[in-house]
Amino acid sequence: MEFCNRNSRIEVEIGKGYTSVEWREDLKVILRKTAEGEQPGVFLFTDTQIKEESFLEDINNLLNAGEVPNLFALDEKQEICEKMRVFDRQREKSKQTDGSPVALFNFFIERVRNQLHIVLAMSPIGDAFRTRLRKFPSLVNCCTIDWFQSWPADALQVVAQRFLAETEMSSTVRGGCVNMCQEFHTGTRDLSTRFLNELKRHNYVTPTSYLELINTFKVLLEKKQGEVTQAKNRYEVGLQKLKTAASEVSVMQRELEELQPQLVVAGKEVDEMMIVIKKESADVADTEKIVKADEAVANEQARAAQAIKDECDHELGEALPILESALAALNTLTNQDITVVKTMKSPPNGVKIVMEAICVLKGVKPDRIPDPSGSGKKIEDFWGPSKKILGDMNFLKSLHTYDKDNIAPNIVKTIRQKYTSNPEFDPEKIKTASTAAEGLCKWVIAMDQYDKVARVVAPKKEALAAAEAELAVAMECLL
């Protein structure tokens, strides 16, 4: 142990994914570090680090020959030889090698054998130790075996006192625990001896077993101390809560006693209020019957008003698509289209009758001109007034905003007798003369169709307004 403390100690760190590849790399580092350094090294290796049996095979070669065959690659050997050449030149002339790679590598092996000390720590328990000794004889032939004998009673006490020194307990209890650990270990050791004598079977009781016993005792003691401390804390918290609850209950009891007179007064007020409520409940029941009757009437009026409204919407729904189609046709027209119609010197007949119908709807009077046939009479002509209204910049806008709900009956009569009943007043026929006149023709027809529906719906709208007024009065009564 003293030798290990005086020199650098080397150990391999075994991880979860540690394999023979990592083991060989670690061996290279250990051998080179030892041979290339000035201070001897101690390689400590335990049986708990043997993940593969090949590890022991390499240890066996190291113990026997001082090297592991085929451990170093060629380039690594060359690097080692160059470093050994430096050490070789520092020696006496008589001890220097001839400088060949083989001699330099043998010098490397020699330094390893001189400076690296391997310490193997293995447990004799079980068959694994005996099997390994048979497979790898260098573990016996090339090693100095140091058997650790059983610790005496005073050593057991000293070790237990050392490990239990920082444990939280009184000196009396600690002394009892030390004696207990010693008694357990010595008792188990005596029973193992008896077991061997009677049944010829080994049960090894080692110092490690004693250390594990002490460590297990410490862990169990800390666990139980934690459980006791937790239970104690919970008990103290529970007592504190009970004390607080008792204090709060006493305060509430006093407050309840102080409120008792007020409760009596409040009880009397509640009784008086219940009498009033019973009386008012009877009145409310009578009022509820009246309100339900009024509500039934109001619901009936609402249903009647809704029926009239639905009927109006249905009939208006037949005319609205025609009106929307006419307005859509107007939207396709531009001022340029209107200008083209206005500049016609001899407009086709279809264009003339469309503009006549628009003049009639807008209340524009015709001009009186001599009859072109030479009869000597004057006739009505709408083309002159038509060009004037076509020249108005807001002509298309005036058609969009036309008051279609209040067309005079005489105008409607004229439109139906002279124009919409005329077979030539057809958008498809007029389209051949002018696309602008086609849209205007659709608008005239839409005004006629809308007026037909509006005349039918108008009385129903008045009935709807009256029904809604009656419903509003009934709803006010309910409120």
Side-chain angles (χ1 to χ4, degrees), residues 113-408:
R113 293 172 64 91
N114 292 335
Q115 300 206 158
L116 179 62
H117 298 269
I118 301 175
V119 178
L120 304 177
M122 296 188 179
S123 173
I125 299 175
D127 296 332
F129 181 64
R130 291 190 292 272
T131 303
R132 288 166 178 167
L133 291 181
R134 286 196 295 267
K135 290 175 64 176
F136 309 109
S138 294
L139 297 179
V140 176
N141 300 334
C142 300
C143 291
T144 300
I145 301 176
D146 189 0
W147 294 92
F148 290 94
Q149 302 299 326
S150 300
W151 289 350
D154 55 347
L156 295 175
Q157 282 196 346
V158 172
V159 171
Q161 288 174 354
R162 172 66 181 84
F163 278 89
L164 297 177
E166 298 180 358
T167 305
E168 186 179 352
M169 62 177 68
S170 64
S171 58
T172 305
V173 175
R174 183 177 290 106
C177 292
V178 169
N179 293 332
M180 175 193 68
C181 293
Q182 177 191 354
E183 183 64 27
F184 280 176
H185 188 74
T186 55
T188 306
R189 189 167 58 193
D190 294 340
L191 289 174
S192 298
T193 303
R194 180 183 170 187
F195 186 68
L196 177 62
N197 293 333
E198 294 181 0
L199 299 178
K200 305 303 181 183
R201 295 178 63 182
H202 285 280
N203 178 53
Y204 295 97
V205 182
T206 64
T208 303
S209 304
Y210 186 60
L211 297 177
E212 290 294 332
L213 169 66
I214 297 174
N215 186 56
T216 303
F217 172 73
K218 289 176 64 177
V219 172
L220 184 60
L221 179 62
E222 290 177 2
K223 178 180 178 182
K224 292 301 179 181
Q225 284 178 340
E227 292 176 357
V228 171
T229 302
Q230 184 179 7
K232 177 186 174 185
N233 292 337
R234 291 176 61 186
Y235 179 73
E236 291 177 349
V237 171
L239 288 178
Q240 183 62 34
K241 289 184 177 180
L242 288 175
K243 183 179 179 180
T244 303
S247 176
E248 293 176 353
V249 167
S250 62
V251 174
M252 294 170 63
Q253 186 69 30
R254 286 196 302 271
E255 293 177 352
L256 185 60
E257 292 175 356
E258 293 173 358
L259 292 173
Q260 191 65 30
Q262 299 180 20
L263 293 175
V264 174
V265 174
K268 291 181 180 179
E269 293 176 355
V270 169
D271 293 338
E272 294 173 357
M273 190 178 295
M274 288 302 298
I275 295 173
V276 175
I277 290 174
K278 287 181 180 179
K279 182 179 179 181
E280 292 180 352
S281 296
D283 297 338
V284 168
D286 297 336
T287 305
E288 185 179 3
K289 293 180 181 178
I290 298 172
V291 170
K292 285 186 177 180
D294 293 342
E295 184 181 3
V297 174
N299 290 336
E300 184 61 31
Q301 292 175 345
R303 283 193 292 271
Q306 186 62 39
I308 296 173
K309 184 176 183 301
D310 293 342
E311 188 176 356
C312 291
D313 292 341
H314 175 70
E315 293 180 354
L316 283 174
E318 297 177 357
L320 288 177
I322 301 173
L323 179 62
E324 291 173 356
S325 174
L327 294 177
L330 288 179
N331 289 332
T332 61
L333 299 180
T334 63
N335 290 330
Q336 186 177 0
D337 297 331
I338 300 302
T339 302
V340 171
V341 176
K342 184 181 70 172
T343 55
M344 291 181 178
K345 294 183 178 180
S346 298
N349 186 54
V351 175
K352 282 186 175 182
I353 60 175
V354 169
M355 292 309 302
E356 286 181 15
I358 289 177
C359 288
V360 172
L361 284 171
K362 294 177 69 68
V364 177
K365 294 182 178 181
D367 293 338
R368 295 187 64 80
I369 62 173
D371 186 359
S373 62
S375 62
K377 297 180 180 180
K378 289 188 176 183
I379 61 173
E380 294 181 347
D381 181 57
F382 282 94
W383 184 242
S386 296
K387 290 195 290 183
K388 291 180 181 179
I389 62 174
L390 288 172
D392 186 1
M393 295 298 293
N394 295 322
F395 171 67
L396 292 176
K397 183 178 179 181
S398 67
L399 297 183
H400 279 284
T401 59
Y402 187 76
D403 188 7
K404 57 185 176 298
D405 293 314
N406 296 298
I407 304 176

Side-chain angles (χ1 to χ4, degrees), residues 66-86:
E67 66 168 329
V68 177
N70 302 320
L71 178 63
F72 294 102
L74 182 60
D75 57 339
E76 292 174 332
K77 282 187 175 182
Q78 291 176 354
E79 185 179 351
I80 291 171
C81 290
E82 290 302 322
K83 291 191 176 182
M84 290 300 104
R85 192 186 305 277
V86 176

